[in-house]
Amino acid sequence: MLNALRPRSWKVWIIGTLLMILAILTKVFHWDERALLWWQEHNTSSDQRAETIWLPGYTAIIQAKPLADLEHAETSDIAYNPATGSLFIVTGKKPLLVEVSLTGDILRRIPITGLSNPEGVVVLGGGHMGIVDERKRTLALFDLDIYTESLGPQDFKFFDLGFADAGNKGFEGVAWDQRQQRLLFSKERDPAALFSLSSDGTNILGTLQGMDEHSHLMNDYSALSIDPRTGHTLVLSDESHLLLELDEEGRPVSFISLIGGLNGLSTSIPQAEGVAIDEAGTVYIVSEPNLFYVFKKSS
């Protein structure tokens, strides 16, 4: 009789183990929340979708394009500049501000001194820009024009962002919210969090404020960008291989996976570090060490 029970005991043990593994994976990768958001997307009307970025409609049209001679500099973030119709990339290992075309061709390189670990870049308008230094936990504001050939300490106006104990898990993402006159920041992890800071586009006004978190779909926050058409925020996650859209109250609206075989990607984006969106809704992503991607909404 004992022998007859053993096969059933093994089956129960195997099923129990599989269920435990599934529960762990669901918690780690947030499959339950992704499924809920997918269901929400599925039940969103076409009129409601038209008022959002609506990421499920996007397809990669340029993927894994190498950015010339930046593999040793390591791309960290990307921002769109409507005044020039070009993109600006900041690199972390070898600090550079690099202007590139909308198809990922290098236009100019600007060496940076006085920053130790540039991780985020933002365009504020009127020739004003900013760079987040993760290691120093500072925001460096500066002016840029067509004649700028280099950037150094004398060009920066520094602002302390706090979190002295964050180490190399500090602020990575930064974006300019023109509508609400504020800067948004993302702390990478431990814990991953979003913050806002009032600004007039040239100076910091007030103090850093934590933002309500309505989504826990991601393990980390690599980068941010604000859609100028809707005011919605794009949040990029390297570890979760996701790009997420949040509305102006921070609620999740839509998302896409950055895994190969989905959304036009032949292979997964290896280490997504920066995201930008222009006034036409085109999305740009950079990945370490030097890969460039473009996503457009399909008709």
Side-chain angles (χ1 to χ4, degrees):
M1 185 172 179
L2 288 175
N3 290 335
L5 290 175
R6 284 175 184 170
R8 178 177 293 180
S9 299
W10 274 106
K11 288 180 181 179
V12 171
W13 182 85
I14 292 171
I15 292 172
T17 301
L18 291 174
L19 289 174
M20 183 174 66
I21 293 172
L22 179 61
I24 293 171
L25 291 174
T26 297
K27 180 177 177 62
V28 170
F29 294 104
H30 310 285
W31 287 343
D32 52 341
E33 293 192 54
R34 293 189 198 183
L36 184 61
L37 182 53
W38 178 86
W39 180 255
Q40 176 184 313
E41 288 178 342
H42 184 71
N43 289 279
T44 301
S45 70
S46 57
D47 288 341
Q48 290 173 312
R49 295 180 184 187
E51 297 175 354
T52 72
I53 302 171
W54 199 249
L55 291 172
Y58 279 75
T59 302
I61 62 167
I62 296 176
Q63 53 183 303
K65 178 178 180 177
L67 293 161
D69 301 323
L70 293 186
E71 62 269 22
H72 299 299
E74 291 190 357
T75 57
S76 294
D77 197 14
I78 187 170
Y80 173 69
N81 189 337
T84 60
S86 59
L87 300 157
F88 283 87
I89 292 171
V90 69
T91 64
K93 191 170 183 181
K94 179 182 178 182
L96 294 169
L97 184 64
V98 184
E99 185 176 6
V100 303
S101 71
L102 300 184
T103 55
D105 299 315
I106 305 294
L107 301 177
R108 62 171 168 163
R109 294 176 175 83
I110 302 170
I112 299 171
T113 56
L115 299 179
S116 62
N117 186 214
E119 283 291 342
V121 62
V122 61
V123 175
L124 298 162
H128 307 303
M129 295 184 65
I131 293 175
V132 169
D133 189 321
E134 184 178 23
R135 190 169 293 123
K136 290 185 175 182
R137 301 169 302 283
T138 57
L139 171 68
L141 296 181
F142 61 96
D143 294 330
L144 185 83
D145 59 34
I146 60 173
Y147 305 107
T148 304
E149 296 182 349
S150 63
L151 292 167
Q154 71 280 359
D155 301 305
F156 297 128
K157 187 185 297 183
F158 292 99
F159 297 90
D160 185 6
L161 296 175
F163 290 88
D165 299 327
N168 200 39
K169 301 298 180 185
F171 293 96
E172 283 212 347
V174 58
W176 171 236
D177 186 347
Q178 175 69 35
R179 293 187 179 193
Q180 300 192 52
Q181 290 289 288
R182 63 180 183 174
L183 286 158
L184 300 187
F185 296 89
S186 63
K187 184 175 176 294
E188 182 184 7
R189 56 177 305 154
D190 301 331
L194 300 177
F195 298 85
S196 67
L197 186 61
S198 295
S199 172
D200 61 4
T202 58
N203 286 294
I204 298 304
L205 310 173
T207 58
L208 204 65
Q209 302 293 322
M211 297 176 64
D212 290 336
E213 301 271 347
H214 298 284
S215 172
H216 302 282
L217 290 161
M218 298 173 161
N219 293 331
D220 73 316
Y221 297 152
S222 300
L224 301 172
S225 188
I226 305 290
D227 178 21
R229 305 162 306 161
T230 63
H232 288 191
T233 304
L234 290 177
V235 185
L236 181 68
S237 172
D238 160 37
E239 291 186 12
S240 300
H241 295 283
L242 283 180
L243 182 62
L244 175 67
E245 175 188 2
L246 301 177
D247 67 15
E248 291 179 289
E249 283 71 46
R251 295 177 299 230
V253 176
S254 69
F255 75 100
I256 55 171
S257 172
L258 305 179
I259 294 175
L262 300 174
N263 307 298
L265 289 170
S266 300
T267 58
S268 301
I269 298 181
Q271 191 170 344
E273 289 291 326
V275 63
I277 185 169
D278 64 20
E279 65 274 298
T282 303
V283 174
Y284 308 88
I285 290 177
V286 288
S287 172
E288 283 190 3
N290 69 327
L291 299 180
F292 178 79
Y293 297 78
V294 179
F295 290 79
K296 280 194 173 183
K297 185 175 286 187
S298 57
S299 58

